[in-house]
Structure formats: C-alpha cells, structure tokens
Amino acid sequence: MFTTAVAPAAVAVPTAPAPAGVVAAPAATAVAAPDIPVANVKAHLAQLQSIATANGGNRAHGRTGYKASIDYVKGKLDAAGFITALQTFSYNGSTGYNLIADWPGGDTSHVVMAGAHLDSVTAGPGINDNGSGSAGILETALAVSRAGLKPTKHLRFGWWGAEEYGMVGSKNYVNSLAATDRSKIDTYLNFDMIASPNPGYFTYRYDTALDALFRDYFAGIGISTEQDFEGDGRSDHAPFQNAGIRVGGLFSGADYTKTAAQAAKWGGTAGQAFDRCYHSACDTSANINDTALDRMSDAIAYAIWTLSAGDTTPPTGTVFENAADVQIPDNGAAVTSSVAVTGRTGNAPAALQVGVDIKHTYRGDLVIDLVAPNGTTFRLKNSSGNDSAPNVQTTYTVNASAVAANGTWKLKVQDVGPQDTGYIDSWKLTF
C-alpha cells in the first residue's frame, strides 16, 4: 500500500479506483439480509461448551477439544451444501487445522471472505473468545444456504486454528495462497469476540468504506460505534492486511476497561473490563451478552449480503503523500513529517483520511498526532503497554472540517519508551 521510496517533496496524485466489491452500497436489486436468530447462534455456543467440557475444559490448539470443534462446524457446513476443505499445519509439535468453506457460485475472481478463530486458550472453553465470532459466521453461512443466496461475488468463510499462539492458522492460510489467489480476495472480514458480557461496539478502522458499512448499519438501529484500537495486530485480520487485502470487522472488547462515557452510550459497567473472563476458565456459556451477540450476528449477515451483491462506485479524491523516511528517536523527542496541501477550496473534509506506515519494533510506545496548518492537533494513537506488536500500518479518519485544507500538515510521532527503534516510512492525506 505504501512505497518505501524516498521523495523529496509531497505530491498530489489522483486516487486509483478501489478494487471491486469493497464499497458499502448494495446493488439496487440486492436481496435484503435476513435476521440471524440469536437462539441458533447460542445453540452453536452450547455445542462448543459441551465439547470443551468433554475434552479437559478447553478447545485449544493441539487438544482434542479443538479437533472436535472443527468437526462440528464442518459437519454443519457440509450438510448445508458448502464445499469445505480442511487445511492442516504444524505448530508447537501438534497438528493444527483451518476450515475453509466456499459457497458454490459467484465470481471467483472477486471473493468476499469472513473468518474467525475457533481455538481457545488452554485455561478455558473460550466461548466468547472466540466461540462467539465462530458461531456468528457459522450461522450466517447457514443462513446463506437457507436463502439459496446467489451472490454476484464469491463467498468464502474461514475458521482459524492456533490464533492464540499468534495467528498461526490464518498466517498459514494466507501464505499458502498463490499471489494470484490472494489478489482475488476483495475483502476479508474478521470477527473475534462479538458477545463480551460488558460489551462495546467497535468497528475495524483500517478501510474507510468497510468501517462506514458497519458504522452505518449500527446507526440504523440506534447504536453509536467506536473505532477499535485494542485489537490492532492481535487477531486474524493482520495476515490478510499485511498481504495487502482490505480488511474490516467487529469487536465487543476484551481486557480494556470500559469508560464512563462508553457505559453511558452502551450500558454496562464503567471501570470494568469489557470481558473480565478474557483468557480465563470463566469464559463459559455464562460469559455472553445475548443482546450484543444478536446485534453483531445480524451485522455480519448485513455485511455479507451487501458486499457480495454487486458492483458499486468507488470513492474518489486527491492524495498528498510524503514517502521520505524520518527516524524516530528511542524514548526521545517527537519528530514530524510534512505534506503541503495546495489547490483545495475551503476546509478539510469531516472524514479526512490519514494513511500511516511506520516501521517500529514496539508500537505500543508510539504516540501519533496529526497537526493541521493552524496548529490544531488530532490525536491518532496513544501509547499502550498492552500493545507489543510491531509497526503501525493503518488509516485513521479525523473530522477536520473546522480547519482550512490548504497549508502544511504534519504527522508528529514520539517514542515514549526505551529499547525499541523505528522510523516513519510514509504517510498520506486523502481528500
């Protein structure tokens, strides 16, 4: 997505058309998405709980409970008419399994894919993490079958193994694809924890159109969403994103603490984690919020029906980019990289896109701001001791409608912790 070439100055270039199938407007003749019965989703969770109970209390990679879980999902999909494939890999001395399910039909050169990890940690049965996402996409897939859906684009679903060891299964799948097959995946949607007992409603922010797809859906049912930061690089969307595939998804929160503002907006308890049983033995069938599970499952179906329906018009705009490398001092002063915006009329847009590519060994130490020509500062990313992943490669959206567009904009980055290195590779503003 970003180039590593050094550029002497920022230049404006027209935006290339987006790949087909990534914009959130359905075709006029699209069939409306069905309501996903939450009772059906919970029935799958009950089966996963029973499997864990019968297999040492968990469904972890390399354990009998995981293989039984994937056999359960495969049996449901086979009976519903999906073409399934069990992909094996080896990790930590054990055989791992991914399950890939293709719905027959649709243009296989344009694939819409949804996925979720099926494994738990060894400490517990993993019913919210991530039985919930796995059950949500399973019931959506079964709804595709019940409807006899004939999408324009090809539909594919994936259940990943060994996510809890660092997205091992999904990495294996993406790496196993030939470059031509990777290029056929227009969109990957990830669903990891969608029923947290003290839930939030978070959307993946990496792609503006996919973020808007979910944000608009929830706005339509009176729910305000927030963009997710807790899950950056920590789930199965990351291998797809790193391969250049557009990603989106939903998340209801893990061990981050719900704020008072979030509790006022969504209900629940401020000052408590979204999921106090995260990665614990108590992540059982009792660790589920039915309302969140219901809403999130319906949103999954909405996205699948919408994105697979047909062609849409991609967004247009002008990009101002600086690809000159700027070293970031370790635990030192902030550095900036500038772009000069010219030729615009009036103020910047309410949804100004800020694409960032920072190579860094520990991104949790990074604080990132966008500084407007008039000095207004937009915080893009705070430091976080819970985020040990490398690199920041994402697109942020800020409301800059109160700021004149023309002038020098700056990306300001500071490393606030010791013992890590990195640099600004490139960044861009899209108007």
Side-chain angles (χ1 to χ4, degrees), residues 86 102 144 177 206 212 223 257 352:
L86 200 59
D102 286 87
V144 167
L177 295 174
Y206 312 110
I223 303 295
T257 300
L352 178 63

Side-chain angles (χ1 to χ4, degrees), residues 13 109 129 296 305 311 374 421:
V13 294
S109 64
D129 184 18
M296 294 283 201
W305 257 253
D311 295 331
N374 68 350
T421 60

Side-chain angles (χ1 to χ4, degrees), residues 130-166:
N130 181 40
S132 62
S134 291
I137 67 168
L138 172 58
E139 189 57 31
T140 299
L142 297 180
V144 167
S145 174
R146 289 193 296 268
L149 190 65
K150 296 180 180 179
T152 301
K153 297 174 179 61
H154 185 72
L155 285 178
R156 181 176 299 155
F157 297 84
W159 287 261
W160 312 117
E163 186 272 353
E164 299 291 2
Y165 290 90

Side-chain angles (χ1 to χ4, degrees), residues 34-355:
D35 177 78
I36 299 298
V38 70
N40 292 8
V41 185
K42 291 188 68 178
H44 300 314
L45 294 179
Q47 289 295 322
L48 296 178
Q49 176 68 70
S50 296
I51 287 170
T53 301
N55 290 275
N58 68 70
R59 302 179 303 100
H61 165 75
R63 308 296 180 91
T64 55
Y66 181 74
K67 184 57 165 59
S69 297
I70 212 157
D71 287 346
Y72 168 76
V73 174
K74 186 176 187 298
K76 290 289 186 181
L77 294 164
D78 287 341
F82 280 81
I83 300 170
T84 62
L86 200 59
Q87 181 187 55
T88 62
F89 58 91
S90 180
Y91 180 77
N92 206 21
S94 299
T95 300
Y97 302 92
N98 294 327
L99 177 63
I100 308 301
D102 286 87
W103 181 240
D107 182 356
T108 55
S109 64
H110 292 289
V111 177
V112 174
M113 186 172 189
H117 77 87
L118 187 57
D119 63 315
S120 73
V121 294
T122 56
I127 299 304
N128 184 39
D129 184 18
N130 181 40
S132 62
S134 291
I137 67 168
L138 172 58
E139 189 57 31
T140 299
L142 297 180
V144 167
S145 174
R146 289 193 296 268
L149 190 65
K150 296 180 180 179
T152 301
K153 297 174 179 61
H154 185 72
L155 285 178
R156 181 176 299 155
F157 297 84
W159 287 261
W160 312 117
E163 186 272 353
E164 299 291 2
Y165 290 90
M167 296 83 74
V168 177
S170 55
K171 286 179 182 176
N172 184 276
Y173 173 76
V174 173
N175 291 340
S176 73
L177 295 174
T180 53
D181 290 327
R182 286 197 297 271
S183 69
K184 293 175 183 177
I185 302 176
D186 288 343
T187 303
Y188 173 74
L189 303 176
N190 195 60
F191 303 99
D192 190 349
M193 302 178 64
I194 62 169
S196 300
N198 190 27
Y201 293 87
F202 297 98
T203 61
Y204 288 18
R205 68 191 187 283
Y206 312 110
D207 180 84
T208 301
L210 296 177
D211 180 30
L213 171 71
F214 288 116
R215 186 174 64 247
D216 292 347
Y217 172 80
F218 280 104
I221 60 172
I223 303 295
S224 176
T225 60
E226 293 183 11
Q227 292 181 325
D228 169 50
F229 290 88
E230 184 178 4
D232 277 357
R234 296 174 60 185
S235 192
D236 294 296
H237 62 280
F240 289 85
Q241 186 179 25
N242 292 339
I245 296 168
R246 291 187 179 226
V247 300
L250 296 172
F251 178 54
S252 59
D255 55 352
Y256 278 23
T257 300
K258 178 177 278 188
T259 66
Q262 289 169 332
K265 179 164 52 179
W266 295 325
T269 306
Q272 288 186 4
F274 294 100
D275 184 354
R276 290 189 290 174
C277 289
Y278 176 64
H279 283 186
S280 300
C282 59
D283 187 8
T284 66
S285 294
N287 191 47
I288 291 293
N289 182 287
D290 287 3
T291 301
L293 182 66
D294 190 12
R295 290 168 172 168
M296 294 283 201
S297 298
D298 288 343
I300 294 171
Y302 173 78
I304 292 299
W305 257 253
T306 300
L307 292 171
S308 65
D311 295 331
T312 57
T313 302
T316 60
T318 302
V319 175
F320 297 85
E321 181 171 13
N322 191 340
D325 294 350
V326 177
Q327 294 297 318
I328 303 169
D330 183 29
N331 197 23
V335 296
T336 61
S337 175
S338 301
V339 296
V341 174
T342 60
R344 307 298 298 176
T345 302
N347 288 355
L352 178 63
Q353 297 175 49
V354 189

